[in-house]
């Protein structure tokens, strides 16, 4: 199995990655024995392992692992002498099942299976070729944005549920519950009792400061606040859910 340049690999590696550690199976080209080791997922441990590998074997070295992106991929991509070959997890799982019908799984063996697949079926694998820096940056940012939007939705849902227990009127006064004005309103008046004691001038100033410019909207909200009836007077319910609201906003 050679690189596109035609230079043969000096060794082959299978990695079974995890969040805290990585199991490694290595076979030097032209030899039959395999070496197993484990490294922790820290920049220092990965750097020491990679540098020792290069000093001993040179390069290029083929590396098989069950993902095309992630922390371990980012860590290994900086080493020019390592050529990464992602293996589809489903494909490797079927390969494993052919040798372990019981479905038994342990980490060092998975590293060896990755190595074995790399050496026996090179025609089914393609070396990882990262996209350009701008494209990868864009992809990472889009993925992070989507995760953050998901986090926001979960927080808003929890906020709504907490308010329904003691202060549902606030949900009716604002059509959107993921806005600064809604959160600032709850921060200043986290209970119905507090907002009913607020002066009209203070409420008008609050809405004006938050760019609520329609006089009728402000008037309707103030009238609704003054006419509102508490859902409950149970201090246990109010205090517990008010605290949740303050944390979430």
């Amino acid at each position: 199995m050679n690189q596109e340049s035609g230079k043969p690999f000096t060794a082959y590696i299978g990695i079974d990655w995890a969040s805290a550690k990585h199991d490694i199976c290595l076979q030097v080209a032209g030899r039959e024995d395999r070496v197993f080791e484990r490294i922790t997922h820290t920049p220092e441990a990965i750097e020491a392992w990679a540098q020792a590998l290069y000093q001993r074997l040179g390069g290029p070295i083929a590396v098989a692992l069950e993902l095309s992106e992630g922390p371990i991929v980012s860590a290994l991509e900086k080493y020019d002498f390592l050529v990464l070959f992602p293996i589809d997890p489903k494909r490797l799982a079927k390969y494993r099942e052919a040798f372990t019908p019981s479905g038994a799984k342990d980490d060092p063996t998975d590293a060896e299976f990755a190595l074995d697949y790399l050496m026996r079926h090179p025609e089914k694998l393609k070396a990882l070729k990262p996209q350009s820096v701008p494209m990868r940056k864009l992809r990472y940012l889009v993925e992070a944005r989507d995760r953050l939007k998901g986090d926001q939705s979960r927080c808003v849902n929890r906020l709504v549920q907490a308010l329904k227990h003691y202060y549902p009127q606030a949900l009716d006064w604002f059509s959107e519950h993921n806005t600064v004005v809604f959160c600032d309103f709850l921060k200043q008046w986290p209970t119905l009792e507090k907002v009913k004691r607020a002066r009209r001038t203070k409420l008008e100033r609050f809405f004006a400061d938050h760019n609520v410019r329609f006089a009728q909207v402000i008037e309707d909200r103030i009238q609704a606040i003054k006419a509102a009836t508490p859902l409950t007077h149970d201090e246990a319910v109010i205090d517990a859910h008010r605290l949740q609201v303050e944390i979430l906003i």
Side-chain angles (χ1 to χ4, degrees):
M1 181 178 182
N2 298 335
Q3 280 186 286
E4 293 179 358
S5 64
K7 188 176 181 181
F9 291 113
T10 61
Y12 303 87
I13 291 175
I15 296 181
D16 186 40
W17 64 278
S19 58
K21 51 83 180 175
H22 310 296
D23 288 295
I24 297 168
C25 181
L26 178 146
Q27 182 171 336
V28 176
R31 298 178 59 174
E32 297 296 327
D33 58 308
R34 292 176 172 178
V35 178
F36 297 87
E37 58 183 318
R38 175 177 291 178
I39 61 173
T40 58
H41 182 72
T42 64
E44 294 78 13
I46 294 172
E47 174 72 12
W49 170 77
Q51 292 301 336
L53 196 65
Y54 184 71
Q55 290 176 11
R56 183 160 59 95
L57 300 171
I61 297 174
V63 180
L65 64 174
E66 284 186 272
L67 71 172
S68 58
E69 60 182 48
I72 184 62
V73 173
S74 298
L76 297 180
E77 280 182 327
K78 69 179 181 181
Y79 302 105
D80 293 337
F81 64 93
L82 296 179
V83 183
L84 308 185
F85 290 89
I87 303 177
D88 183 273
K90 293 181 180 178
R91 179 178 295 179
L92 190 59
K94 290 181 179 179
Y95 186 74
R96 184 191 305 117
E97 288 173 4
F99 295 92
T100 56
S102 66
K105 181 181 187 298
D106 74 1
D107 292 344
T109 302
D110 283 348
E112 186 172 16
F113 275 130
L115 169 62
D116 199 64
Y117 192 95
L118 172 67
M119 298 187 70
R120 291 178 182 272
H121 303 284
E123 74 285 353
K124 296 182 179 180
L125 300 177
K126 292 184 179 180
L128 182 64
K129 294 182 178 179
Q131 294 175 303
S132 66
V133 171
M135 285 302 297
R136 283 186 287 128
K137 184 186 296 185
L138 177 62
R139 177 163 54 85
Y140 293 143
L141 289 172
V142 169
E143 291 172 354
R145 179 202 63 184
D146 290 344
R147 287 193 296 270
L148 288 170
K149 289 182 69 175
D151 291 340
Q152 183 191 56
S153 295
R154 285 188 287 274
C155 282
V156 170
N157 291 337
R158 292 171 62 188
L159 178 61
V160 168
Q161 291 303 314
L163 288 168
K164 284 181 177 179
H165 280 83
Y166 80 106
Y167 193 12
Q169 294 92 340
L171 299 171
D172 297 329
W173 299 334
F174 297 86
S175 59
E176 297 181 355
H177 305 135
N178 63 345
T179 60
V180 173
V181 62
F182 183 61
C183 289
D184 284 352
F185 182 88
L186 292 174
K187 186 181 296 183
Q188 189 156 347
W189 298 292
T191 67
L192 181 62
E193 180 183 4
K194 286 189 175 182
V195 75
K196 286 179 72 68
R197 292 203 304 263
R199 294 180 179 178
R200 168 181 283 271
T201 54
K202 188 171 185 179
L203 290 167
E204 290 175 338
R205 190 181 315 115
F206 172 87
F207 290 123
D209 290 344
H210 285 78
N211 297 315
V212 180
R213 301 302 182 189
F214 296 101
Q216 190 59 50
V217 171
I218 296 175
E219 179 62 25
D220 289 345
R221 283 178 177 171
I222 293 176
Q223 290 298 327
I225 288 169
K226 299 306 180 182
T229 300
L231 177 68
T232 178
H233 294 287
D234 187 338
E235 292 185 4
V237 173
I238 295 172
D239 291 347
H241 291 91
R242 174 189 55 79
L243 181 59
Q244 292 179 45
V245 166
E246 290 175 342
I247 292 171
L248 287 166
I249 60 174

